[in-house]
Every structure is written in C-alpha cells, then in structure tokens.
Amino acid sequence: MPIPLIQISGLEKAFSSNESWLSQWRFRHGKFKKHKDSIHALNGVNLTIHQGETLCVVGETGCGKSTLARVIMGLTTPSAGEIHYLDQRIDQLNNRQRMFFRRRMQMVFQNPYASLNPRMTVYQTLSEPISFHNPQLSQSQVDEKIDALLESVGISALSSDRYPHEFSGGQRQRISLARALSVEPDFIVADEPLSALDVSVQAQVLNLMMDKQEERNLSYLFITHDLAVVEHFATRVAVMYLGRICELAPTETLFQSPKHPYTQALLSAIPRLDSNTAQPIRLIGEVPTPTEKPIGCVFQARCPYANQRCYETSPPMTLQSDGSSVACHAIEEGRL
Amino acid sequence: MNLLSVSNLHVNFHMKEQELAALIDVSFTLNRGERIAIVGESGAGKSILGFSIVNLIGKPGYIKSGSIKLESKEITKMNLRQLQEVRGKRIAMIFQDPMMTLNPVLTIGDQLVETIRSHTKISYKDARNIAIEKLHHVQIASPEKRFNQYPHELSGGMRQRVIIASVLLLNPDIIIADEPTTALDVTIQAEILQLLLTICRDNGVALVLISHDLGVVSKVAERTLVMYAGHVVEEGPTLEIINDPQHPYTQGLLNALPQMTLPGQRLNQIQGSMPSLAERPTGCAFHPRCPYATQKCRQEQPKFIYSGVSSVACFLVEDMLNEFANNDKEIS
Ligand SMILES: Nc1ncnc2c1ncn2[C@@H]1O[C@H](COP(=O)(O)OP(=O)(O)OP(=O)(O)O)[C@@H](O)[C@H]1O
Ligand SMILES: Nc1ncnc2c1ncn2[C@@H]1O[C@H](COP(=O)(O)OP(=O)(O)O)[C@@H](O)[C@H]1O
Ligand code: SF4
Ligand code: SF4
Ligand SMILES: [Mg+2]
Ligand SMILES: [Mg+2]
C-alpha cells in the first residue's frame, strides 16, 4: 500500500501583474473602475505524491509546472489550497518553521549553469548545507561526507576545490544533485533537470537519480517536456493544462490508453524513432495565457469534443476502471 | 551538378597560445530539394559547420582550407557583397533562438516589409499584403493583428513561425536550421517541424537540419551526418543510420535514448564526454569513450570509407569489411 508523502488539495496561485497603480484604472461603461490583471497559474490542483515513487508532471510551456514546484517548495505562497507533508500542513509556515522541511525537501533546477553559485567551489557549495543541517558534525566528518557524496555522483573528490565553470553541463547537474542529496532529503523536486543536456549526458543523470532513489527510497516530483524520459522513469504521470491536472495515471496505462483529449494530442506529438507512427493530432492554437480564472473545462478552447457543459462547469477528476483518473465531461458522458 | 558541395573543409580557431582545429576534413553534398540532418553531442562542431557553409564563421575562427561550392560558385572565395547576396537570396538560416534574427524594437510587420522591400522595389501596401499572406501561409492565426505586434508579444512557437515566413519571402534554395525546435514544447515542436517539412517539400527547398535529437531528425531528413569532435564519423540514409548504426559513437547515441531500455532499467550511457578543441585525443578522437578501441585506434586516424549503404570512419568497421572482402576472394 503506497504511503502518501505529500498531499496537495485545491491549490491555486495567481500572480498579479506588476502594472503601476495608475494603469490599473480603466474607463469602462462611463465609469473609472479599478482593474488588476492577474495570471492564474494554478487553478485547483489536487495531487498526492507517494513515498518512493517518481511522479512526472508534463504539459506545455506556461501550464504551471514550475509554479507548482515552487509552491510545494515554499518558494512562493499559494493563493488558496493546502499542502501537507505526511500529516503536517506546510503551506503557511514562517521561515523558522520551514527549516525542518528544507532538510526533508530539496529542489534541482533546469539550468545547471545558473543554479550553482559561480563564486563558490564545489567544496563550499556542499559544506554549507551539510554543516548547517548537521551542527553536531566535526569538520573532518563534514569533509568525509563531501568526499563520499561527490564520489557517489561520479565526480572525483580531488576536484572539489574547482569552480562550477570548470565542469561540463552534465557534471554541473550532478553537482546540483549532490547538493540536493547532501542533507539526506526524502523528497526531491526536479524542474526540467535534463533539458539543457545531451542525450548521452541525460542518461548519466537519470541513472544517478534512479540509483539514489533505490538507495534511499526517495520520492521525486519530476517535471519534464520529454515524454520518452517520462515513459522510462515515471511511476505515475500527471498531465497538466492551464493550471489544472487533467489526467493522472500509472505510466504504462497512460501511454497505452491516454484518455483525456489533451493527453491524446500530447502523446501523438512525440517525435519517435520509428517512422510509421500515426499523424500527430493537431491542436488548434497555442496555450492561452490564463489572465482570467477559467470557467468550465480549461481545455475547452482547443478541444474538438467541447459542448455547452464544458463551457459552464469544470469536469471533476473521475477514477476509471484501469486506475487512471481523468477530468473530462465527454468521457463521463460516454461520448469519448 | 550538386546544389551544394563541401569538400575537405578545415575550420580553425586562431587562439593566442595555439591553433585549434574545429572542423577536420568535412565533406558532403546536398542536392536540390534534398533534406539532410547533422547530429552529434554539444560541442561536436554542428553549429560551426552550419555557419561555415555561408562563410559566417567569426573571428577567431576561419576557414583554413577546403571548398564550399554553391553550384559552380566557390563560397570561400566570395567578397562581402557576393556573400550577402548568397545569404539573402539563396541560403537562409534559422536559429534556435528566434530573437537572434528578430529585431525586438520593430513590429513583426515592419520587419517582414523591410525584408521584402530590400529585395524588390514595391510599395509598402503591396509589401504588406505579401507579408500578411506569408504569415497566413505559416499558419499564424489573425495575421493582420500579428502584423502590428512586437516579437515579445508572441510565444516562442509563433516567433519561429514568423522566422519561417521571413525565410519564405527570400525564396531560398537552401535553409540551414540550427536546432530550430530545441527551445520549444513537444506539441509545438511537432507543428514547426511539420511546417518546415511541408514548406521545403512544396517549394523544392533543400534543408540542412542541425539537431541533437535523433527522434526529430528521423521525421524530416532523408540523409544524416553524425559528427564527433569536428569530424563527420558516419553518413548515410537516415533510416539506415537509425536502424543499423555502424559507428560505435552513433550506436552509443542511439543506445542512450530512454526508449532503448526497458522502463525502470538503467540507461546505457556513453562513458566520458565530448573533448574540447584543445583536448582532442590522437588517433580516432572517440577512442577514450569507445568500448572497441585498440592500440591502432589510439594512434591512427581512421579513413572515411563506404560500407555498402553508409560511410563510416572506424577501424572496426574497416576491418570487418576487409574480412568480408577476403572471404569473398577465398570463396571465388
Ligand atoms: N512571477 C510571475 N509573475 C507573473 N506571472 C508568472 C510568474 N511566474 C509564472 N507566471 C505565469 O504563470 C503561468 C505558469 O508559469 P510556469 O512557470 O509555472 O509554467 P511552466 O509550466 O513551468 O512552463 P515551462 O514549461 O515553460 O517551464 C505562466 O502563464 C507564466 O507566465
Ligand atoms: N569562438 C570560439 N572560440 C573557440 N572555440 C569555439 C568557438 N566557438 C565554438 N568553439 C568550440 O568549437 C567546438 C564546436 O562548437 P559548436 O559548433 O558550437 O558545437 P555544436 O553546435 O555541435 O554544439 C566546441 O568545442 C566549442 O567549444
Ligand atoms: S471536458 Fe469538454 S472541453 Fe474539456 S476535455 Fe472534456 S470534452 Fe473537451
Ligand atoms: S576507430 Fe577504434 S576507437 Fe574509433 S570508433 Fe572505431 S573502434 Fe572505436
Ligand atoms: Mg517551467
Ligand atoms: Mg550548436
């Protein structure tokens, strides 16, 4: 029975666009009205991440994947909703209360060039979090830990006094991972950790992540554009569109029988090596920018099956017989 | 006659301390309307090759020797005016980042109109009509509205469409596209590739697609060149290369893909990494990472040989071919 580690319910996040006070006033219907544009990046996300699993989040640019990651990590506060770590609520913590969870939850970013401090050697990068979270360790114990950690991500301990720019992209990403692992977390959020890397280097980093997961029963929330990676690495997949999860399924089920119209389009678009795959399902238009809080189904504007109900009510996530959950009226109505 | 023929091209970087070779003895041809791909890891020299074709390689880089012929005209010997003519009218380039080509302070429309009017003497109004028609052609919705927008108001996918529209205006013989979809989403990637493919096919334009993604390449290119450390190491029909790679490096690239391993299993990584220009190993540059490397590989440079369907630079393949040839002789 999987143990829920992180539970997210009704999560919303709206960014107010930073227009000046004056430009927030609009003249409409003969009156001045205060009007503040905001971007609704998350519109009610419900999600559970189990211990030891890799939950992959996929979806187009701007659908809210990075925002979800940042809200979970407490890097930005949600506008509504709750996040629990085991049985403790963690979305409303102050910095001091958050300390404990900083240790349990770590993040790896997309760009290995930007996420490491260029003025800190690898040794400094790693010794800071280790000493901070383990004040009881002596200096030599910290050093030992750093050496072991570097070796475990395939970086020679001899190079620990080098700076980030002296390493390749793949090596830097492995150092970022070493930094995340340095405090022995239970949970790592990785936001596109592979997208700046070549296939050959991607393989190194993915293998490392799988090794560490096995060693420590780590849980990953893994954000990626690359569906081949998802198929290989994920335990379950969450498909996101305009700030909502529209399908959540065990990986094999999702790839074998994608159900949501958006998931179907997304999967048909992957360029595959074999040349005789079916024509991609063309979606009309691009992802709209969510300046209004969506009413009805978030996919309505691009969905070939949309009907009146889709414009009015938001479809709830419904469990299907094969273990997947889908939010779509057409499926519920048996039209699809 | 080939539309483009590159032969024995050497490109160097002239550094303070030393002379670094970036492209070594690169040769290939491109026919009218043909689509080829150049693949390899980051640092293999793909972009340098792309830039060299239009003689855009900037200092400290320079073309050391070799020839690049556009039909019968030698590009390496052209003066600036002739080069600009080639770059404007015959060979167009598309980059990974559309903002490299788009001017952030001009509207989309003004940029397109300017492009048209720099080549043909027509009125603004006529140029505007052509521009809008081209925007429509690259499937931009409500082109009249987009015409008046600035690049930053468009999404990445739309910007890349605008670039393709502006390339179409020039009516080129060759498009060189350097990782044109790497910065885009999978769904939009597929659309842009499809667009590029359709446009090349419909207008008989030849395409050089530079990519590190073999999945992308397999959809578009008829022939593929695999590059490693400044060399072309394998060249052949794309399907042959994907289904039956000969060079150990090509095999490594394909084997590293997630779909080559069962879900949850460790991926096949190629050990080591692409050497920098200053650290290129002797002999076959791939030997430190090659599982089949022998003493000979460490010392001598394998020649590029034709293996039946594709051409490969590898002693292992060469020895195998020689063995077959000897066996044949013995039998007969
Ligand atoms: N600080 C911010 N201020 C205003 N809008 C923001 C901010 N951060 C994100 N957004 C908006 O919120 C939406 C979701 O953004 P997010 O970065 O989560 O997307 P994403 O799914 O990670 O996309 P990508 O695949 O490109 O990384 C987008 O419309 C984005 O423009
Ligand atoms: N201006 C330059 N000066 C020195 N070396 C360079 C320069 N530009 C590129 N290189 C080097 O040339 C090699 C090939 O580069 P490039 O063609 O950009 O690779 P690719 O496009 O295949 O990733 C790399 O080792 C790179 O570091
Ligand atoms: S709920 Fe309606 S609009 Fe949304 S995906 Fe289903 S059919 Fe399409
Ligand atoms: S020549 Fe030798 S080292 Fe180079 S790829 Fe072939 S077998 Fe490997
Ligand atoms: Mg993101
Ligand atoms: Mg490049």
Side-chain angles (χ1 to χ4, degrees):
Chain A
M1 188 58 196
I3 306 167
L5 182 67
I6 309 275
Q7 281 177 288
I8 298 163
S9 52
L11 201 64
E12 294 183 15
K13 174 72 191 178
F15 296 100
S16 54
S17 50
N18 21 343
E19 280 181 70
S20 68
W21 183 82
L22 207 63
S23 63
Q24 288 171 14
W25 292 91
R26 299 280 157 87
F27 192 72
R28 286 231 176 99
H29 308 299
K31 292 191 194 125
F32 276 107
K33 267 202 171 154
K34 191 152 182 218
H35 167 99
K36 212 164 164 202
D37 272 335
S38 48
I39 292 180
H40 295 263
L42 299 178
N43 298 301
V45 172
N46 301 309
L47 199 60
T48 301
I49 300 149
H50 298 134
Q51 263 174 25
E53 84 164 333
T54 301
L55 182 72
C56 279
V57 179
V58 299
E60 281 165 276
T61 299
C63 72
K65 305 180 296 295
S66 300
T67 306
L68 177 64
R70 295 172 54 83
V71 173
I72 296 176
M73 291 305 294
L75 297 171
T76 168
T77 46
S79 319
E82 295 185 9
I83 306 169
H84 286 85
Y85 176 96
L86 294 172
D87 51 6
Q88 292 185 63
R89 191 161 167 189
I90 59 166
D91 52 282
Q92 301 291 346
L93 303 178
N94 63 30
N95 281 345
R96 223 170 54 77
Q97 293 166 319
R98 196 154 262 296
M99 231 55 231
F100 171 76
F101 296 98
R102 279 264 190 279
R103 184 171 173 169
R104 308 263 51 102
M105 303 161 64
Q106 285 285 317
M107 185 152 176
V108 178
F109 295 90
Q110 169 165 9
N111 189 339
Y113 299 86
S115 59
L116 293 172
N117 184 337
R119 277 182 285 281
M120 273 161 76
T121 63
V122 170
Y123 177 86
Q124 289 163 336
T125 300
L126 296 178
S127 72
E128 200 182 67
I130 293 180
S131 319
F132 183 82
H133 288 289
N134 305 280
Q136 79 286 0
L137 293 183
S138 72
Q139 192 55 47
S140 66
Q141 284 172 310
V142 171
D143 290 359
E144 242 169 66
K145 227 176 136 139
I146 293 177
D147 286 359
L149 198 58
L150 281 176
E151 297 290 351
S152 82
V153 298
I155 304 277
S156 157
L158 294 173
S159 51
S160 68
D161 56 352
R162 283 162 59 185
Y163 289 90
H165 73 263
E166 298 175 67
F167 293 92
S168 72
Q171 287 171 325
R172 269 180 261 201
Q173 202 55 302
R174 281 183 277 152
I175 294 166
S176 303
L177 201 58
R179 183 181 57 183
L181 292 168
S182 67
V183 296
E184 295 176 19
D186 308 324
F187 176 54
I188 292 182
V189 172
D191 189 359
E192 309 256 11
L194 307 176
S195 60
L197 309 173
D198 276 325
V199 273
S200 52
V201 183
Q202 282 182 10
Q204 289 174 9
V205 175
L206 266 184
N207 285 350
L208 177 65
M209 290 186 72
M210 288 195 255
D211 289 344
K212 295 297 161 192
Q213 182 166 47
E214 249 167 43
E215 274 168 44
R216 306 178 177 204
N217 199 33
L218 270 171
S219 313
Y220 292 120
L221 180 76
F222 193 99
I223 297 174
T224 178
H225 276 132
D226 187 340
L227 292 164
V229 170
V230 174
E231 192 165 14
H232 191 79
F233 186 49
T235 320
R236 290 186 304 151
V237 189
V239 182
M240 228 175 142
Y241 191 85
L242 272 192
R244 267 189 216 148
I245 309 279
C246 54
E247 181 158 359
L248 176 68
T251 309
E252 219 186 310
T253 316
L254 186 97
F255 281 90
Q256 264 169 16
S257 61
K259 297 187 180 58
H260 195 280
Y262 178 63
T263 315
Q264 291 179 350
L266 192 69
L267 294 198
S268 77
I270 327 173
R272 297 229 177 214
L273 281 180
D274 45 308
S275 51
N276 49 359
T277 39
Q279 268 292 322
I281 302 171
R282 274 216 54 192
L283 288 176
I284 309 135
E286 293 183 16
V287 194
T289 308
T291 48
E292 308 276 328
K293 194 169 165 176
I295 299 167
C297 174
V298 281
F299 192 52
Q300 54 183 242
R302 292 168 90 190
C303 182
Y305 311 101
N307 66 9
Q308 197 51 39
R309 192 173 165 214
C310 305
Y311 294 100
E312 287 159 5
T313 48
S314 150
M317 274 292 226
T318 339
L319 187 66
Q320 309 291 307
S321 57
D322 61 3
S324 57
S325 303
V326 197
C328 171
H329 292 313
I331 291 171
E332 191 221 30
E333 289 161 13
R335 292 193 283 126
L336 189 79
Chain B
M1 192 190 326
N2 291 316
L3 178 59
L4 182 79
S5 30
V6 174
S7 20
N8 311 102
L9 183 68
H10 288 256
V11 170
N12 275 18
F13 281 98
H14 186 74
M15 311 301 267
K16 266 181 266 138
E17 313 276 293
Q18 74 221 97
E19 192 68 18
L20 297 174
L23 293 183
I24 302 161
D25 205 23
V26 170
S27 304
F28 70 95
T29 60
L30 181 68
N31 288 320
R32 202 162 269 285
E34 193 184 20
R35 295 180 300 277
I36 66 167
I38 300 173
V39 299
E41 287 163 287
S42 156
K46 307 182 296 292
S47 298
I48 293 185
L49 179 54
F51 285 117
S52 301
I53 293 174
V54 283
N55 207 339
L56 255 182
I57 196 83
K59 281 208 165 93
Y62 68 100
I63 294 176
K64 186 179 157 228
S65 62
S67 130
I68 304 168
K69 277 202 166 118
L70 181 62
E71 291 175 325
S72 58
K73 291 184 226 85
E74 181 61 50
I75 291 186
T76 56
K77 302 225 164 71
M78 286 183 183
N79 62 27
L80 193 62
R81 203 189 49 75
Q82 291 168 313
L83 278 175
Q84 271 163 355
E85 174 101 7
V86 167
R87 288 176 203 149
K89 291 204 177 136
R90 310 222 35 207
I91 307 181
M93 280 197 88
I94 299 176
F95 301 99
Q96 175 172 348
D97 180 3
M99 291 312 281
M100 262 180 83
T101 319
L102 292 173
N103 185 339
V105 301
L106 287 182
T107 62
I108 298 302
D110 284 345
Q111 302 190 40
L112 293 178
V113 165
E114 193 176 297
T115 309
I116 300 170
R117 296 224 285 177
S118 68
H119 292 281
T120 0
K121 299 279 158 270
I122 53 171
S123 71
Y124 181 90
K125 199 163 152 263
D126 289 343
R128 181 174 187 275
N129 287 339
I130 296 176
I132 286 176
E133 185 208 306
K134 289 296 172 195
L135 287 175
H136 189 72
H137 194 155
V138 296
Q139 295 150 11
I140 285 187
S142 36
E144 286 88 359
K145 185 176 141 219
R146 299 294 176 197
F147 186 88
N148 295 316
Q149 287 185 322
Y150 291 90
H152 72 89
E153 296 177 77
L154 271 56
S155 70
M158 255 192 264
R159 284 183 209 150
Q160 208 60 295
R161 284 178 202 274
V162 171
I163 301 278
I164 296 175
S166 74
V167 159
L168 274 179
L169 288 172
L170 304 170
N171 203 5
D173 297 315
I174 303 174
I175 296 177
I176 301 174
D178 190 354
E179 314 247 5
T181 61
T182 308
L184 304 175
D185 268 354
V186 270
T187 50
I188 310 223
Q189 259 184 28
E191 288 180 22
I192 298 284
L193 277 179
Q194 190 58 43
L195 178 67
L196 208 54
L197 182 64
T198 319
I199 274 167
C200 289
R201 239 193 230 144
D202 294 355
N203 303 299
V205 182
L207 177 70
V208 179
L209 177 70
I210 297 176
S211 175
H212 67 259
D213 188 335
L214 283 156
V216 162
V217 160
S218 68
K219 281 273 168 277
V220 177
E222 298 143 331
R223 259 188 322 131
T224 296
L225 267 66
V226 183
M227 287 192 71
Y228 188 80
H231 293 272
V232 176
V233 296
E234 181 158 4
E235 196 249 281
T238 304
L239 283 184
E240 286 299 331
I241 290 201
I242 282 171
N243 294 326
D244 192 14
Q246 305 283 310
H247 197 281
Y249 177 59
T250 319
Q251 293 172 354
L253 278 183
L254 281 158
N255 279 329
L257 291 173
Q259 50 270 51
M260 292 298 165
T261 322
L262 287 175
Q265 304 285 309
R266 296 298 177 275
L267 304 178
N268 314 307
Q269 41 188 87
I270 313 178
Q271 31 167 308
S273 56
M274 176 76 68
S276 71
L277 298 186
E279 293 168 329
R280 181 184 291 107
T282 54
C284 168
F286 188 58
H287 83 248
R289 303 175 74 186
C290 179
Y292 314 107
T294 63
Q295 194 52 34
K296 189 174 173 194
C297 305
R298 287 182 263 278
Q299 289 160 347
E300 288 172 47
Q301 170 81 56
K303 279 198 295 290
F304 206 59
I305 49 166
Y306 184 62
S307 80
V309 273
S310 49
S311 300
V312 191
C314 168
F315 288 125
L316 186 74
V317 178
E318 192 178 325
D319 290 348
M320 241 153 36
L321 286 173
N322 286 341
E323 222 164 278
F324 280 134
N326 289 341
N327 284 349
D328 280 356
K329 253 182 243 150
E330 274 164 33
I331 290 166
S332 58

